[in-house]
mmCIF file of all heavy atoms in Angstrom:
data_model
loop_
_atom_site.group_PDB
_atom_site.id
_atom_site.type_symbol
_atom_site.label_atom_id
_atom_site.label_comp_id
_atom_site.label_asym_id
_atom_site.label_seq_id
_atom_site.Cartn_x
_atom_site.Cartn_y
_atom_site.Cartn_z
ATOM 1 N N GLU A 311 16.022 7.121 14.007
ATOM 2 C CA GLU A 311 15.369 8.313 13.459
ATOM 3 C C GLU A 311 14.089 8.620 14.210
ATOM 4 O O GLU A 311 13.746 9.787 14.462
ATOM 5 C CB GLU A 311 15.062 8.049 11.966
ATOM 6 C CG GLU A 311 16.272 7.917 11.081
ATOM 7 C CD GLU A 311 16.879 6.546 11.118
ATOM 8 O OE1 GLU A 311 16.272 5.633 11.755
ATOM 9 O OE2 GLU A 311 17.964 6.365 10.517
ATOM 10 N N ARG A 312 13.341 7.589 14.565
ATOM 11 C CA ARG A 312 12.078 7.765 15.281
ATOM 12 C C ARG A 312 12.372 8.357 16.706
ATOM 13 O O ARG A 312 11.682 9.277 17.132
ATOM 14 C CB ARG A 312 11.347 6.456 15.432
ATOM 15 C CG ARG A 312 10.111 6.481 16.301
ATOM 16 C CD ARG A 312 8.900 6.591 15.454
ATOM 17 N NE ARG A 312 7.666 6.590 16.196
ATOM 18 C CZ ARG A 312 6.494 6.603 15.657
ATOM 19 N NH1 ARG A 312 6.367 6.551 14.373
ATOM 20 N NH2 ARG A 312 5.394 6.625 16.392
ATOM 21 N N THR A 313 13.376 7.836 17.340
ATOM 22 C CA THR A 313 13.762 8.343 18.675
ATOM 23 C C THR A 313 14.134 9.794 18.638
ATOM 24 O O THR A 313 13.704 10.575 19.466
ATOM 25 C CB THR A 313 14.905 7.478 19.274
ATOM 26 O OG1 THR A 313 14.498 6.108 19.351
ATOM 27 C CG2 THR A 313 15.260 8.001 20.650
ATOM 28 N N ALA A 314 14.941 10.147 17.625
ATOM 29 C CA ALA A 314 15.361 11.562 17.469
ATOM 30 C C ALA A 314 14.133 12.445 17.193
ATOM 31 O O ALA A 314 14.061 13.574 17.719
ATOM 32 C CB ALA A 314 16.376 11.680 16.356
ATOM 33 N N ALA A 315 13.199 11.955 16.305
ATOM 34 C CA ALA A 315 12.023 12.729 15.993
ATOM 35 C C ALA A 315 11.155 12.944 17.233
ATOM 36 O O ALA A 315 10.590 14.044 17.423
ATOM 37 C CB ALA A 315 11.242 12.044 14.857
ATOM 38 N N GLU A 316 10.984 11.908 18.020
ATOM 39 C CA GLU A 316 10.173 12.003 19.241
ATOM 40 C C GLU A 316 10.783 13.019 20.195
ATOM 41 O O GLU A 316 10.047 13.767 20.841
ATOM 42 C CB GLU A 316 10.036 10.632 19.890
ATOM 43 C CG GLU A 316 9.142 9.673 19.125
ATOM 44 C CD GLU A 316 9.132 8.282 19.685
ATOM 45 O OE1 GLU A 316 10.054 7.971 20.511
ATOM 46 O OE2 GLU A 316 8.275 7.469 19.367
ATOM 47 N N ARG A 317 12.100 13.023 20.265
ATOM 48 C CA ARG A 317 12.769 13.946 21.180
ATOM 49 C C ARG A 317 12.544 15.399 20.729
ATOM 50 O O ARG A 317 12.225 16.300 21.520
ATOM 51 C CB ARG A 317 14.266 13.618 21.235
ATOM 52 C CG ARG A 317 15.034 14.412 22.317
ATOM 53 C CD ARG A 317 16.510 14.039 22.307
ATOM 54 N NE ARG A 317 16.696 12.640 22.611
ATOM 55 C CZ ARG A 317 17.208 11.745 21.792
ATOM 56 N NH1 ARG A 317 17.558 12.124 20.563
ATOM 57 N NH2 ARG A 317 17.370 10.477 22.135
ATOM 58 N N LEU A 318 12.709 15.642 19.413
ATOM 59 C CA LEU A 318 12.487 16.992 18.872
ATOM 60 C C LEU A 318 11.038 17.404 18.974
ATOM 61 O O LEU A 318 10.716 18.530 19.344
ATOM 62 C CB LEU A 318 12.960 17.028 17.417
ATOM 63 C CG LEU A 318 12.837 18.420 16.705
ATOM 64 C CD1 LEU A 318 13.599 19.509 17.478
ATOM 65 C CD2 LEU A 318 13.365 18.327 15.284
ATOM 66 N N PHE A 319 10.169 16.479 18.661
ATOM 67 C CA PHE A 319 8.684 16.749 18.754
ATOM 68 C C PHE A 319 8.295 17.122 20.172
ATOM 69 O O PHE A 319 7.603 18.078 20.414
ATOM 70 C CB PHE A 319 7.959 15.454 18.329
ATOM 71 C CG PHE A 319 6.461 15.661 18.135
ATOM 72 C CD1 PHE A 319 5.957 16.144 16.941
ATOM 73 C CD2 PHE A 319 5.601 15.309 19.146
ATOM 74 C CE1 PHE A 319 4.598 16.300 16.732
ATOM 75 C CE2 PHE A 319 4.212 15.464 18.931
ATOM 76 C CZ PHE A 319 3.730 15.951 17.771
ATOM 77 N N GLY A 320 8.852 16.359 21.153
ATOM 78 C CA GLY A 320 8.559 16.656 22.539
ATOM 79 C C GLY A 320 9.101 18.023 22.958
ATOM 80 O O GLY A 320 8.445 18.755 23.710
ATOM 81 N N ALA A 321 10.291 18.385 22.481
ATOM 82 C CA ALA A 321 10.909 19.643 22.849
ATOM 83 C C ALA A 321 10.051 20.813 22.338
ATOM 84 O O ALA A 321 9.863 21.821 23.038
ATOM 85 C CB ALA A 321 12.316 19.722 22.285
ATOM 86 N N VAL A 322 9.533 20.690 21.096
ATOM 87 C CA VAL A 322 8.708 21.739 20.524
ATOM 88 C C VAL A 322 7.407 21.860 21.343
ATOM 89 O O VAL A 322 6.952 22.955 21.679
ATOM 90 C CB VAL A 322 8.374 21.483 19.079
ATOM 91 C CG1 VAL A 322 7.372 22.493 18.536
ATOM 92 C CG2 VAL A 322 9.668 21.542 18.236
#
Side-chain angles (χ1 to χ4, degrees):
E311 294 81 7
R312 174 98 179 186
T313 301
E316 288 173 345
R317 189 179 298 116
L318 181 57
F319 190 83
V322 174

